[in-house]
Amino acid sequence: MIVIYTYPVRSTLSAVDRWPVLVDKFRVEFGEENGIISSVSVAVRLDDDASLPKVSPSNNPNVKLHVDVGKSAHNEEVTDYLMVVQGMMCLLGTFTIDFNKRQVNWEPENDDERAKLGLFSYSVTTDKDVEDQSPFTFDFIARTVFTAASSSHYEVPLTFLRRGLQDVRNDRFIDAFYNFFFFLETQFAPGFSNPKVVVEKLLEASSVKEALQVTRENLSKHRGRLPKNVLVPLLTLGDRELITHLVDTRGNLHHHALRRPGIWHPERPERFEAEALILQSIAHSIALNEVFSLIYSQDQDDAFIKGARDVGAMFKLEANITTQAGKLQPFNIHIPGRRPHYDMVVRADDEVRNMLEAQRPVIYPLRYTIGPTPNVVCASYECFLPIKK
């Protein structure tokens, strides 16, 4: 007996060229509306502790039937896993799972199991908002889902980050500031309350210092509604001065006194928009580097490719290369996916160029094509030979 949990998702991530992702005992699939991910499903086989749903007459005259939805397998385990998925996916774009509005389906695998079922599914639906689409491809989404199973250690920091991103979208800059600060505190200054110690702990972290530089570069080009005369002075501060300012801001927000001059007002969160945006950039940069290192580690990449092959989601493209000496043997590139698309061809082109540059002596092509077969061409490239000196 298989049980499938399906949750609605509010997302900006593309569902084009999607396929099932096998992760341990889970099979993860995505639903879509208008090319955007709109739901996530996790299928898992029932274990011995599960009880099947039952429908029986009700003793209440006002209620026709009594429905016992049973005890489904791995319910909490699925929820915990999807919370990690959600935290990692929010780095790619909007991705919020509504855990309160799930659909549960039971799929019998034989006639005996079918006869035992009194109820095959129950569900609740919800409306979803529409936002601009995120540019990440399904290959990256699938890798993220696959890696989440071994990334539970990062779930809490990612939850702080995801909640902070939601707060920024809803102009809740005080809440956003707290969530982004907790993202940093729980990783780099856990359990420390002394502001001076927290400052030193954050400055000791190389990932924080690297993120500060990225933040200055990114926010110096900020084109939002926030006036430059508010944001730029903070970005020109040195690392120690900026971190100290952020820690002091956390301390000021942590306390409130009505009679204190200039005290912050809960209905005026825009006062802390600059600080929230700076912390958002720092946290996002750190999280993105961490998640990329997890997703593209050699072990994860090898396991992901194997999983894609197991579900028939590896597509072969062929590069046919012509040099001054004639045509080379076709160069085959296998890329996760089920049909060719722009990003797949771009990735194949990168592999062709890397292969040619790795040859000794280097091979300079006159032209080459990429496609499923020599007669079906997705892209054609004309090349200029280097000038001999």
Side-chain angles (χ1 to χ4, degrees), residues 165-348:
L165 293 172
Q166 289 180 325
D167 292 332
V168 167
R169 293 187 189 103
N170 292 290
D171 295 339
R172 298 191 300 262
F173 298 112
I174 294 175
D175 294 325
F177 180 94
Y178 265 114
N179 277 308
F180 294 140
F181 195 93
F182 285 143
F183 171 90
L184 296 177
E185 184 180 68
T186 193
Q187 295 183 85
F188 307 110
F192 294 98
S193 57
N194 186 313
K196 292 183 179 179
V197 175
V198 174
V199 168
E200 295 303 324
K201 290 292 182 182
L202 293 178
L203 289 173
E204 288 172 3
S206 59
S207 56
V208 173
K209 300 196 76 171
E210 291 171 4
L212 283 169
Q213 183 60 34
V214 172
T215 293
R216 291 189 180 96
E217 293 173 0
N218 290 343
L219 292 187
S220 64
K221 307 170 187 175
H222 182 67
R223 293 295 182 268
R225 66 186 180 188
L226 193 65
K228 280 192 173 183
N229 61 355
V230 175
L231 189 59
V232 171
L234 292 177
L235 297 176
T236 55
L237 294 176
D239 288 356
R240 178 173 296 276
E241 290 76 14
L242 181 53
I243 291 295
T244 299
H245 173 77
L246 295 173
V247 172
D248 289 345
T249 300
R250 192 280 302 263
N252 292 335
L253 286 172
H254 196 62
H255 303 282
H256 202 281
L258 288 176
R259 297 183 179 179
R260 181 179 173 183
I263 194 66
W264 59 273
H265 193 292
E267 288 293 342
R268 295 175 181 171
E270 64 276 2
R271 173 179 170 184
F272 299 96
E273 182 176 0
E275 286 82 358
L277 291 179
I278 289 172
L279 273 182
Q280 172 186 319
S281 179
I282 293 171
H284 193 276
S285 175
I286 292 171
L288 203 58
N289 285 338
E290 175 68 16
V291 169
F292 268 57
S293 68
L294 293 171
I295 289 175
Y296 288 106
S297 68
Q298 191 61 55
D299 290 345
Q300 288 292 336
D301 186 64
D302 292 344
F304 170 76
I305 295 299
K306 180 181 181 302
R309 285 199 179 97
D310 290 343
V311 296
M314 290 296 289
F315 194 88
K316 187 194 85 170
L317 288 172
E318 182 178 295
N320 289 278
I321 305 167
T322 302
T323 69
Q324 285 182 312
K327 287 188 176 181
L328 303 181
Q329 287 291 327
F331 178 59
N332 294 328
I333 310 109
H334 295 85
I335 297 177
R338 283 184 164 167
R339 61 183 179 85
H341 50 80
Y342 175 81
D343 294 294
M344 183 183 287
V345 173
V346 169
R347 182 171 169 185

